[in-house]
Amino acid sequence: MCFLKVLDRDLIPEFIRFWEDVRNELDITEFDISSGAQVVFGDQSTEHFGESHPDWMRLPDMDLAYHVAHEVTHQLLRKRGYPRIGRGSTYESSSSEARVGGDLEELVIHIPLDQLLVKYGISNKSIVERMFNGTVKGIRDSPVPEYGTPWFFTWAIRYAELSRILASTQMEEVDSILREKSKDVISLGIELLQVLEQFNGWDPSVTKEAMIACRDILGLGVDDRVLVIDGYDGTFT
């Protein structure tokens, strides 16, 4: 078994086993991982932080391994032909349509991603705890978005994803806060979950169908606001 670091931290054996299984499918290298390069970590890479370490370097060993594996698996799924979200040419990269499209992509693509990682025994308990604490604070401190706006859709999408990953006691606290602020967010989030529960197998074709179904529930297919791009041939729906 090889040894692998990310910046000055050793990656645990669970990650090494994952890496040895997938490395030949990827264009990224061990150096890209060990150097915290943008090709793996995007806007959370060392290129964006200069000499200071990114926040994720403060994660415990297991969660650090999960974070790195998560970023690598996003690229692996692209190589395997999984779909992605795009937008029509009239919408800028900074537009609300781009933001909500990115949130929708993550909601759906994280299902096959998590299924792939679970067999390696890499957990993300600290990451989930941080997410829970940030969510509770954010919901309490923020005004509820206007119904039907892109930011409202983002709240509902995030509710659906949190329902997948938070412990039941944590989700009960999220629900109790949201019931006081916006039952509509909960209703739409549950509707998205119910759509996702209709799918199984989660190969590229199934994932594409799920993305389209969730997008259409939100009504975001109108005027090419959110496009689902086929991972094999680049056609879009």
Side-chain angles (χ1 to χ4, degrees), residues 2-12 15-16 19 28-38 40-42 44-47 53-72:
C2 67
F3 294 92
L4 189 58
K5 290 179 178 284
V6 57
L7 300 179
D8 57 357
R9 298 270 302 275
D10 289 325
L11 287 163
I12 58 176
F15 178 86
I16 304 302
W19 175 247
I28 60 176
T29 66
E30 291 180 5
F31 178 76
D32 293 325
I33 293 173
S34 63
S35 63
Q38 182 172 342
V40 178
F41 299 100
Q44 295 296 307
S45 67
T46 52
E47 287 98 324
H53 279 176
D55 289 344
W56 49 262
M57 278 297 291
R58 291 192 283 273
L59 290 168
D61 287 350
M62 181 64 79
D63 291 81
L64 177 64
Y66 178 90
H67 176 71
V68 180
H70 182 102
E71 297 304 315
V72 170

Side-chain angles (χ1 to χ4, degrees), residues 7 23 38 42 45 55 99 116 119 133 141 164 175 183 190 193 202 215 217-218 223 235:
L7 300 179
R23 61 190 299 179
Q38 182 172 342
S45 67
D55 289 344
R99 184 190 65 234
L116 189 150
K119 68 178 181 179
N133 291 332
D141 295 349
R164 287 187 52 247
D175 276 336
K183 292 180 180 178
I190 290 173
L193 283 171
W202 294 100
R215 181 208 53 194
I217 284 291
L218 300 175
D223 299 328
T235 58

Side-chain angles (χ1 to χ4, degrees), residues 184-232:
D184 289 333
V185 168
I186 295 176
S187 296
L188 184 54
I190 290 173
E191 190 172 358
L192 288 169
L193 283 171
Q194 290 172 339
V195 168
L196 293 172
E197 288 168 358
Q198 298 172 17
F199 297 90
N200 55 65
W202 294 100
D203 61 14
S205 177
V206 168
T207 304
K208 178 181 174 182
E209 290 178 19
M211 279 189 186
I212 292 171
C214 287
R215 181 208 53 194
D216 291 349
I217 284 291
L218 300 175
L220 291 171
V222 178
D223 299 328
D224 292 341
R225 291 180 182 180
V226 172
L227 304 173
V228 178
I229 303 173
D230 189 279
Y232 288 115

Side-chain angles (χ1 to χ4, degrees), residues 8 14 18 76 83 103 106 120-121 138 165 174 183 188 210 225:
D8 57 357
E14 289 88 343
F18 158 77
L76 179 67
D103 293 330
E106 289 199 348
Y120 293 98
I165 62 178
V174 172
K183 292 180 180 178
L188 184 54
R225 291 180 182 180

Side-chain angles (χ1 to χ4, degrees), residues 114-162:
D114 288 342
Q115 290 180 351
L116 189 150
L117 287 183
V118 70
K119 68 178 181 179
Y120 293 98
I122 307 174
S123 68
N124 60 341
K125 291 181 180 178
S126 292
I127 292 172
V128 171
E129 186 66 25
R130 288 186 181 190
M131 189 179 301
F132 167 67
N133 291 332
T135 297
V136 168
K137 185 178 187 305
I139 294 173
R140 283 176 174 159
D141 295 349
S142 303
V144 178
E146 182 181 349
Y147 184 86
T149 61
W151 191 235
F152 176 86
F153 292 149
T154 286
W155 273 45
I157 290 167
R158 290 179 180 171
Y159 177 89
E161 179 147 31
L162 289 168

